Amino acid sequence: MTTFDTTVPPTLRKLDMERLFMRKRALSLALPLLVLAYLAYVFVAFDVAGLAERMNPKNARTLVADSYSYKTHVTRDNRSGAVSVAIEGERKGAYPDGQSPEWVTLADTSSQVTIIDLEDGYEIRFGPESIAFDIPGYGTIRATPSRSAGVQAEFPAGDLPDWTNASKNRLAVTTEAGRLTVTRNRAEVFRYFAGWELFFFTLDSPYHGMGIGELMTRAATGEAGAIFHDFWTNKMWRHQDVAWAIFETLLMAFLGTMGAGLIALPLAFAATRNFMPLRAVRFATRRVFDFVRGVDSLIWTVVLARAFGPGPLTGALAILVTDTGTFGKIFSEALENVDQKQIEGVASTGAKPAQRYRFGVIPQITPVLLSQLLYFLESNTRSATIIGAITGGGIGLLLTQAIITQKDWEEVAYYIVLIILMVMLMDWLSGWLRRRLIKGEPGRKARRQGAAMLLP
């Protein structure tokens, strides 16, 4: 509160108050101006205006479409004339020789033309010498690949549409029905379908293409184990490897969090005034906490990976080191706020120092300990995903590999969905444990039994 000297004349006091208000007004105006100046600097330094020029909506739409759809590749080797069909272009999703989806008619001895029906009038024909693409409302595009002359393309009269790209060595035609790419060595057709194809069973499985009703009937007749085996060992989606990766991620978070709690609790006693009288010990312990938590867990991951090599254990150790400092600070603050009367009450019974800590201190800080441990366990579940991408373990590694290849974005979407579900499960589980362990809420069974005892 500002006070004024009563011996000062009223005129001077008025001037002092006006100066005080002027300073406050200047300060209230200067702060917004500083914020605006900083935002202007960020706008220029990070070239925010250039984002619109660098943005590519077409690539963004393709990326989003790839996350919920798949494409089937129909490929012809222009040197040998052999035609192959594979989902996502992978060998694990390739159709056996002589087989193809119903919209692809493979060439035979009577007809040397492979016909690819993209529906709605879009049709591609792989002939012995050239490739023809019929496009409704435009005409037919022909391409003749040659190892010496490159790719010779013929278009209907008029200007080339923007959905075509032709050069000496490559022809690309992109339509709403599908995409055709022709080079000297091969011609390839991409057709998109909604969904995650081969998610349950691959083409070589006898259960591929079966409906849920037929699968349930087969399972009821004793084939449940075989059905689950084909799903569990899916070569394209690798459900078995994904489940193990999820387990590794949860294991990293659990070991790192609980290990940090076990180490930080005894060290926290050495950092408190009411339990450690030696100032030098308190100062040293607190600086250790500041050091280990001042370095981010990602940095500790890189350092520990050099020492112990990649793996889930390195990720768990990185979480342990960082959280030890955080828990040490939190636990020491909780210990400094304990009620001394409860400790004195336990001491009055003749309890030894260890018993005083056990029955006079631990019960007071247990809610804080459990609450923080469960919260950090939930948070570290997300952190373990990123740490796993660096140390080479967990679902983070699979996610990073899928992103780097930039081929199967539906797998990226699959892993992201699993990560979200994993975090949601840990959120629910930590909340349930917090209610049961801290608040002491009885379960449904106990409530029902209690209600039954009250009934006449």
Side-chain angles (χ1 to χ4, degrees), residues 12 24 154 223 308 326 396:
L12 294 180
K24 289 185 177 181
E154 301 176 7
E223 298 185 29
F308 300 100
T326 305

PDB file of all heavy atoms in Angstrom, residues 12 24 154 223 308 326 396:
ATOM      1  N   LEU A  12       1.509  19.065  -3.890  1.00  0.00           N
ATOM      2  CA  LEU A  12       2.597  18.126  -4.215  1.00  0.00           C
ATOM      3  C   LEU A  12       2.109  16.689  -4.157  1.00  0.00           C
ATOM      4  O   LEU A  12       2.542  15.843  -4.952  1.00  0.00           O
ATOM      5  CB  LEU A  12       3.763  18.346  -3.251  1.00  0.00           C
ATOM      6  CG  LEU A  12       4.479  19.696  -3.355  1.00  0.00           C
ATOM      7  CD1 LEU A  12       5.602  19.786  -2.340  1.00  0.00           C
ATOM      8  CD2 LEU A  12       5.020  19.913  -4.771  1.00  0.00           C
ATOM      9  N   LYS A  24       1.802   3.817 -14.203  1.00  0.00           N
ATOM     10  CA  LYS A  24       0.993   2.604 -14.359  1.00  0.00           C
ATOM     11  C   LYS A  24       0.372   2.534 -15.752  1.00  0.00           C
ATOM     12  O   LYS A  24       0.310   1.473 -16.376  1.00  0.00           O
ATOM     13  CB  LYS A  24      -0.087   2.559 -13.290  1.00  0.00           C
ATOM     14  CG  LYS A  24       0.454   2.290 -11.888  1.00  0.00           C
ATOM     15  CD  LYS A  24      -0.663   2.131 -10.882  1.00  0.00           C
ATOM     16  CE  LYS A  24      -0.107   1.782  -9.509  1.00  0.00           C
ATOM     17  NZ  LYS A  24      -1.183   1.600  -8.494  1.00  0.00           N
ATOM     18  N   GLU A 154       0.790 -39.994 -77.240  1.00  0.00           N
ATOM     19  CA  GLU A 154      -0.134 -39.401 -78.202  1.00  0.00           C
ATOM     20  C   GLU A 154      -1.385 -38.965 -77.457  1.00  0.00           C
ATOM     21  O   GLU A 154      -2.008 -39.768 -76.740  1.00  0.00           O
ATOM     22  CB  GLU A 154      -0.491 -40.405 -79.303  1.00  0.00           C
ATOM     23  CG  GLU A 154       0.714 -40.906 -80.085  1.00  0.00           C
ATOM     24  CD  GLU A 154       0.312 -41.968 -81.100  1.00  0.00           C
ATOM     25  OE1 GLU A 154      -0.917 -42.181 -81.264  1.00  0.00           O
ATOM     26  OE2 GLU A 154       1.202 -42.579 -81.705  1.00  0.00           O
ATOM     27  N   GLU A 223     -12.374 -74.208 -35.770  1.00  0.00           N
ATOM     28  CA  GLU A 223     -11.298 -73.533 -36.492  1.00  0.00           C
ATOM     29  C   GLU A 223     -10.942 -72.179 -35.874  1.00  0.00           C
ATOM     30  O   GLU A 223     -10.283 -71.352 -36.518  1.00  0.00           O
ATOM     31  CB  GLU A 223     -11.687 -73.323 -37.955  1.00  0.00           C
ATOM     32  CG  GLU A 223     -11.920 -74.620 -38.714  1.00  0.00           C
ATOM     33  CD  GLU A 223     -12.187 -74.378 -40.191  1.00  0.00           C
ATOM     34  OE1 GLU A 223     -11.665 -73.372 -40.716  1.00  0.00           O
ATOM     35  OE2 GLU A 223     -12.900 -75.175 -40.803  1.00  0.00           O
ATOM     36  N   PHE A 308      24.484 -47.548 -23.301  1.00  0.00           N
ATOM     37  CA  PHE A 308      23.887 -48.882 -23.175  1.00  0.00           C
ATOM     38  C   PHE A 308      23.386 -49.447 -24.492  1.00  0.00           C
ATOM     39  O   PHE A 308      22.930 -50.581 -24.531  1.00  0.00           O
ATOM     40  CB  PHE A 308      22.723 -48.837 -22.175  1.00  0.00           C
ATOM     41  CG  PHE A 308      23.125 -48.391 -20.800  1.00  0.00           C
ATOM     42  CD1 PHE A 308      22.904 -47.091 -20.383  1.00  0.00           C
ATOM     43  CD2 PHE A 308      23.728 -49.271 -19.919  1.00  0.00           C
ATOM     44  CE1 PHE A 308      23.273 -46.663 -19.118  1.00  0.00           C
ATOM     45  CE2 PHE A 308      24.100 -48.866 -18.650  1.00  0.00           C
ATOM     46  CZ  PHE A 308      23.876 -47.561 -18.253  1.00  0.00           C
ATOM     47  N   THR A 326      12.279 -34.842 -10.811  1.00  0.00           N
ATOM     48  CA  THR A 326      10.948 -34.247 -10.638  1.00  0.00           C
ATOM     49  C   THR A 326      10.277 -34.779  -9.380  1.00  0.00           C
ATOM     50  O   THR A 326       9.721 -34.012  -8.577  1.00  0.00           O
ATOM     51  CB  THR A 326      10.081 -34.534 -11.869  1.00  0.00           C
ATOM     52  OG1 THR A 326      10.751 -34.080 -13.048  1.00  0.00           O
ATOM     53  CG2 THR A 326       8.741 -33.833 -11.757  1.00  0.00           C
ATOM     54  N   GLY A 396       6.680 -46.494 -30.965  1.00  0.00           N
ATOM     55  CA  GLY A 396       7.300 -45.333 -31.591  1.00  0.00           C
ATOM     56  C   GLY A 396       8.229 -45.717 -32.733  1.00  0.00           C
ATOM     57  O   GLY A 396       8.315 -45.003 -33.738  1.00  0.00           O
TER      58      GLY A 396
END
